[in-house]
């Protein structure tokens, strides 16, 4: 018996479609397929998207020469911008009085009492002056080097936090000039650097004429020390080192108040800048800084995969047979 006519027609249409035949199927399929240039463009776009996604999930460690140049240029720009801000003494004094009155409202105006108490202990306040002048840079650079060497997968994100924090601080320096307590008119604070003849502030002594004396809000001594302390606390292995990480910003807070370089509220401003830095890094890398892999994925992928020697022996003997 022969097949019905409808079944024969359907079978013929299927055969034409499979072999690329038919008057309507072939032009439609050729129109849908991209040409070679389009394929190459789509391929490059896909590769770029993959690289960006991988970089955000597991940032690669930058080359040391690039990183040194970036940090050096960034700090140079930071110094120029910070010290190029016009010194508006009248406005800075007005802001200092406003901060002082605000702290009175909250009942936290103990800076002057601490300043006077610490000034009475010569060796202690002298040490604080040198602490203020040196550790701010030494510890920050040391933590950067430590992250680069021991936690390369987290380094770029952590450095981003520091850069964003500092950039926001520059905005604060420009739009909110603030006289530090030691320069506050009728504030009754003691400039411990001048009193004890030490060097502990770029805005005191011979360096005062080249430094912006009213860049006090927010406090980058607090912003940077908190950044260092949190990195040490979350990533260090030894308990006593982690405790030192927590003590470092606390000690810095005591120093900036004792030397009358900052109000309490300046420290709050530094913490807020740091918070924005962490949130920015969280948005960029889709993860909190300290949850990123310790080593970039591409570095671990390049490591050779080794297996026990006995695993390969049966395969070799079988191949010889």
């Amino acid at each position: 018996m022969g097949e019905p006519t409808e079944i024969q027609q359907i079978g013929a249409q299927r055969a034409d479609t499979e072999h690329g035949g038919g008057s309507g199927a072939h032009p439609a399929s050729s129109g849908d397929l991209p040409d070679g240039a389009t394929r190459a463009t789509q391929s490059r776009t896909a590769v770029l998207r993959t690289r960006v996604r991988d970089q955000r999930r597991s940032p690669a460690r930058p080359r040391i020469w690039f990183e040194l140049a970036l940090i050096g240029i960034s700090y140079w720009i930071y110094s120029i911008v910070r010290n190029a801000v016009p010194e508006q003494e009248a406005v800075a004094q007005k802001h200092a009085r406003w901060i002082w009155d605000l702290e009175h409202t909250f009942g936290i105006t103990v800076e002057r009492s601490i300043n006077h108490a610490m000034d009475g202990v010569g060796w202690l306040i002298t040490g604080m002056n040198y602490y203020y002048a040196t550790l701010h840079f030494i510890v920050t650079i040391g933590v950067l080097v430590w992250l680069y060497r021991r936690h390369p997968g987290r380094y770029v994100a952590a450095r981003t936090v520091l850069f964003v924090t500092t950039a926001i601080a520059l905005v604060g320096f420009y739009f909110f000039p603030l006289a530090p307590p030691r320069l506050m008119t009728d504030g009754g604070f003691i400039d411990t650097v001048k009193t004890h003849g030490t060097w502990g502030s770029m805005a005191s002594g011979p360096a005062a004429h080249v430094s912006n004396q009213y860049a006090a809000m927010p406090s980058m001594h607090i912003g940077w020390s908190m950044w260092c302390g949190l990195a040490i606390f979350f990533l260090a292995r030894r308990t006593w080192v982690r405790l030192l990480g927590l003590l470092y910003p606390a000690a810095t807070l005591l120093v900036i108040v004792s030397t009358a370089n900052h109000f309490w509220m300046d420290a709050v401003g530094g913490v807020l800048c740091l918070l924005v830095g962490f949130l920015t890094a969280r948005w960029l890398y889709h993860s909190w800084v300290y949850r990123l892999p310790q080593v970039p994925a591409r570095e671990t992928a390049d490591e050779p995969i080794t297996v026990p020697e006995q695993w390969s022996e049966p395969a070799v003997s079988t191949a010889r047979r």
Side-chain angles (χ1 to χ4, degrees), residues 75-98:
Y75 183 74
W76 175 65
I77 295 174
Y78 165 78
S79 300
I80 290 178
V81 174
R82 180 184 184 276
N83 298 329
V85 174
E87 295 189 7
Q88 306 176 37
E89 182 176 357
V91 177
Q93 292 290 345
K94 179 181 178 180
H95 289 164
R97 178 56 59 183
W98 181 81

Side-chain angles (χ1 to χ4, degrees), residues 134-216:
T134 58
L135 291 190
H136 177 54
F137 303 101
I138 294 174
V139 176
T140 303
I141 294 173
V143 172
L144 280 170
V145 173
W146 174 63
L147 289 173
Y148 185 87
R149 291 177 58 86
R150 300 295 184 181
H151 300 269
R154 298 161 181 149
Y155 173 81
V156 173
R159 184 248 285 150
T160 300
V161 174
L162 187 64
F163 278 28
V164 172
T165 301
T166 306
I168 298 174
L170 289 176
V171 177
F173 298 156
Y174 188 89
F175 290 102
F176 196 83
L178 177 68
R182 59 186 177 74
L183 295 180
M184 182 179 174
T185 304
D186 299 327
F189 290 91
I190 300 172
D191 189 336
T192 59
V193 172
K194 290 184 177 180
T195 302
H196 296 274
T198 60
W199 53 275
S201 173
M202 287 297 294
S204 293
H209 67 283
V210 296
S211 177
N212 179 18
Q213 301 184 72
Y214 302 117

Side-chain angles (χ1 to χ4, degrees), residues 68-301:
L68 290 175
L70 178 64
I71 293 175
I73 294 174
S74 299
Y75 183 74
W76 175 65
I77 295 174
Y78 165 78
S79 300
I80 290 178
V81 174
R82 180 184 184 276
N83 298 329
V85 174
E87 295 189 7
Q88 306 176 37
E89 182 176 357
V91 177
Q93 292 290 345
K94 179 181 178 180
H95 289 164
R97 178 56 59 183
W98 181 81
I99 291 290
W100 190 239
D101 292 340
L102 179 64
E103 291 189 354
H104 269 288
T105 302
F106 290 109
I108 57 175
T109 51
V110 296
E111 293 99 324
R112 186 163 53 198
S113 299
I114 295 175
N115 172 238
H116 282 258
M118 293 298 179
D119 184 71
V121 185
W123 64 269
L124 181 58
I125 197 64
T126 299
M128 287 185 173
N129 287 338
Y130 291 129
Y131 179 113
Y132 185 87
T134 58
L135 291 190
H136 177 54
F137 303 101
I138 294 174
V139 176
T140 303
I141 294 173
V143 172
L144 280 170
V145 173
W146 174 63
L147 289 173
Y148 185 87
R149 291 177 58 86
R150 300 295 184 181
H151 300 269
R154 298 161 181 149
Y155 173 81
V156 173
R159 184 248 285 150
T160 300
V161 174
L162 187 64
F163 278 28
V164 172
T165 301
T166 306
I168 298 174
L170 289 176
V171 177
F173 298 156
Y174 188 89
F175 290 102
F176 196 83
L178 177 68
R182 59 186 177 74
L183 295 180
M184 182 179 174
T185 304
D186 299 327
F189 290 91
I190 300 172
D191 189 336
T192 59
V193 172
K194 290 184 177 180
T195 302
H196 296 274
T198 60
W199 53 275
S201 173
M202 287 297 294
S204 293
H209 67 283
V210 296
S211 177
N212 179 18
Q213 301 184 72
Y214 302 117
M217 171 63 84
S219 169
M220 280 299 92
H221 273 74
I222 291 300
W224 288 14
S225 66
M226 282 287 293
W227 177 85
C228 294
L230 290 175
I232 294 172
F233 175 75
F234 281 107
L235 301 180
R237 296 181 179 179
R238 299 179 181 179
T239 303
W240 67 271
V241 177
R242 298 179 66 192
L243 291 177
L244 285 179
L246 293 180
L247 289 175
Y248 175 55
T252 301
L253 178 61
L254 179 61
V255 167
I256 66 173
V257 173
S258 299
T259 56
N261 278 289
H262 290 283
F263 295 101
W264 292 119
M265 297 304 295
D266 301 344
V268 174
V271 172
L272 292 177
C273 291
L274 182 65
L275 176 61
V276 175
F278 274 110
L279 292 176
T280 302
R282 173 67 176 81
W283 173 73
L284 285 174
Y285 299 102
H286 295 263
S287 177
W288 295 109
V289 173
Y290 308 125
R291 291 185 177 180
L292 290 168
Q294 180 177 0
V295 179
R298 64 190 64 187
E299 291 189 15
T300 57

